[in-house]
Amino acid sequence: MSTTPAAYPATDRTVPTRSRERASYDRAAVHSVLDAGYVCHLGFLRDGRPVVLPTLYARVGEQLYVHGSTGSRPLRTAGRAGSAGLPVCLTVTHVDGLVLARSAFHHSLNYRSAVVHGDAYAVADHDERTAALDAIVDHIVPGRSGDSRRANAKELAQTAVLRLAIEEVSVKLRTGGPNDEPEDRQLPYWTGVVPVAPVYGTPVPADDLAPGIETPGYLPAG
Amino acid sequence: MSTTPAAYPATDRTVPTRSRERASYDRAAVHSVLDAGYVCHLGFLRDGRPVVLPTLYARVGEQLYVHGSTGSRPLRTAGRAGSAGLPVCLTVTHVDGLVLARSAFHHSLNYRSAVVHGDAYAVADHDERTAALDAIVDHIVPGRSGDSRRANAKELAQTAVLRLAIEEVSVKLRTGGPNDEPEDRQLPYWTGVVPVAPVYGTPVPADDLAPGIETPGYLPAG
């Protein structure tokens, strides 16, 4: 696992990224954060109050697709073809390190996050729905959609797919070491960064895996 | 890293957990999910639209505390002592495994999540604020608050702390192997679970760490 070099200057910044202000829209940064994950936290309103649910997502170009089959009422409503857009906020966060300063106040995380605001719309088109579901599977495990049975008509009918354009989005990230106050530098506390990253273990075959099927090359080695 | 035994029966269930319905409030399950993390996704309204931001949090008994110093306007408003509560949804999610079924439709994640609904209130009391900040540091690294400089008056004044009671909360989790359709069992695709967990790397000392300060025992071994 890569570590955060302590010599790397600490930064805590927002990449201004409204697409309406193209000059400052750092598309590569936005895509990088979105493409590194597969679980987002989707916020919407229910009876006028905020609800935040973890959901699978995928990016296809400048569109995000989320699985709407959470059983929640607003998502079911937006899931009807022709209905109005559902105001949402889709947030993706990656934690890269625990930042331990000498002072409690300067404790922090190294992280990358993307926050996308907009209205989500139900996807009715068959081809777009199929492509979105493939993309969601491929976000979880790149290459997997081509090595599994595609959804049939009955399964497609049971799945709501929402589309959200990547238009109003901000990326925030922090990297580097702690930012202690100069007067704290002599305090007798350890200070530095503990790197953290998701690690994928040895694949565990299902009990009923047919004999002779090897672990695919797109999975971590056993 | 522990793996998901393939023989473990697949489950995907909601633990019904409104405290007003005590009989079904699985307090241990709620605490377990909340205590296993330190980053939540906090949803609130801004100009009538949902916003979801990643934030540090901690649990103390039946209260959650979040850092309100995100610079966002609604949090600053709620951060004023005496102001009305801020409607929020605080969600904590842990991903435990990638579930690869033979069909794209049955792809899923093993996960645990807690979704807490309520109104967040600014914490004005000095001792409660200090205890909350200690708890937030100790959620990141257990034992760390006692091995760092506590926040001083100026730092406390710069920090908004919000309190959210754990009253209306639901826990959802999925464990176990894929749930393929019986008619898919003979398809020639690998099926099983790829375990995933956050892994903490070798601590990286800050450049200016004073000589003679060893890596503390509460951090992962170097």
Side-chain angles (χ1 to χ4, degrees), chain A residues 52 91 101-102 144 149 190, chain B residues 52 91 101-102 144 149 190:
Chain A
V52 179
T91 300
R102 296 171 180 90
R144 176 67 180 178
R149 176 176 69 69
W190 189 89
Chain B
V52 178
T91 299
R102 296 171 180 90
R144 177 66 181 179
R149 177 178 67 69
W190 189 89

Side-chain angles (χ1 to χ4, degrees), chain A residues 1 3-8 38-39 41-46 48-54 56 67 70 86-93 95 98-109 111 113 115 117-119 133-134 137 140-141 144-151 154-156 158-159 168 172 177-178 180-181 184-210 213-216 218-220, chain B residues 1 3-8 38-39 41-46 48-54 56 67 70 86-93 95 98-109 111 113 115 117-119 133-134 137 140-141 144-151 154-156 158-159 168 172 177-178 180-181 184-210 213-216 218-220:
Chain A
M1 186 167 61
T3 56
T4 306
Y8 198 65
Y38 44 86
V39 174
H41 281 79
L42 186 72
F44 55 91
L45 302 189
R46 187 169 58 201
R49 297 186 61 97
V51 178
V52 179
L53 296 180
L56 293 168
H67 231 258
T70 66
L86 177 73
V88 298
C89 179
L90 186 156
T91 300
V92 174
T93 305
V95 177
L98 315 179
V99 181
L100 278 65
R102 296 171 180 90
S103 62
F105 182 74
H106 283 296
H107 276 61
S108 186
L109 295 182
Y111 72 99
S113 72
V115 178
H117 301 274
D119 291 333
L133 293 173
D134 282 354
V137 168
I140 304 174
V141 177
R144 176 67 180 178
S145 72
D147 191 36
S148 56
R149 176 176 69 69
R150 309 284 284 276
K154 180 183 158 198
E155 290 167 346
L156 275 175
Q158 288 174 39
T159 308
E168 184 173 341
K172 286 191 75 170
D180 265 313
E181 303 293 335
D184 287 339
R185 295 244 164 87
Q186 297 312 312
L187 292 178
Y189 305 122
W190 189 89
T191 176
V193 173
V194 180
V196 53
V199 169
Y200 296 85
T202 304
V204 180
D207 281 349
D208 61 358
L209 178 68
I213 299 186
E214 301 294 327
T215 305
Y218 50 73
L219 292 184
Chain B
M1 186 165 63
T3 56
T4 305
Y8 198 64
Y38 45 85
V39 174
H41 281 80
L42 187 72
F44 55 92
L45 301 189
R46 186 168 60 199
R49 296 186 62 96
V51 178
V52 178
L53 297 179
L56 294 168
H67 232 258
T70 65
L86 177 73
V88 297
C89 179
L90 186 157
T91 299
V92 174
T93 305
V95 176
L98 315 180
V99 181
L100 278 65
R102 296 171 180 90
S103 62
F105 182 74
H106 283 297
H107 276 62
S108 186
L109 296 182
Y111 72 100
S113 73
V115 178
H117 300 273
D119 291 333
L133 293 173
D134 282 354
V137 168
I140 305 174
V141 178
R144 177 66 181 179
S145 72
D147 191 37
S148 56
R149 177 178 67 69
R150 310 283 286 276
K154 179 182 157 200
E155 290 167 345
L156 275 175
Q158 289 176 36
T159 308
E168 184 172 339
K172 286 191 73 170
D180 264 314
E181 303 293 334
D184 287 340
R185 296 242 164 89
Q186 298 311 312
L187 293 177
Y189 305 123
W190 189 89
T191 177
V193 173
V194 180
V196 54
V199 170
Y200 296 85
T202 304
V204 180
D207 282 349
D208 60 358
L209 178 67
I213 298 185
E214 302 293 328
T215 305
Y218 50 73
L219 292 183

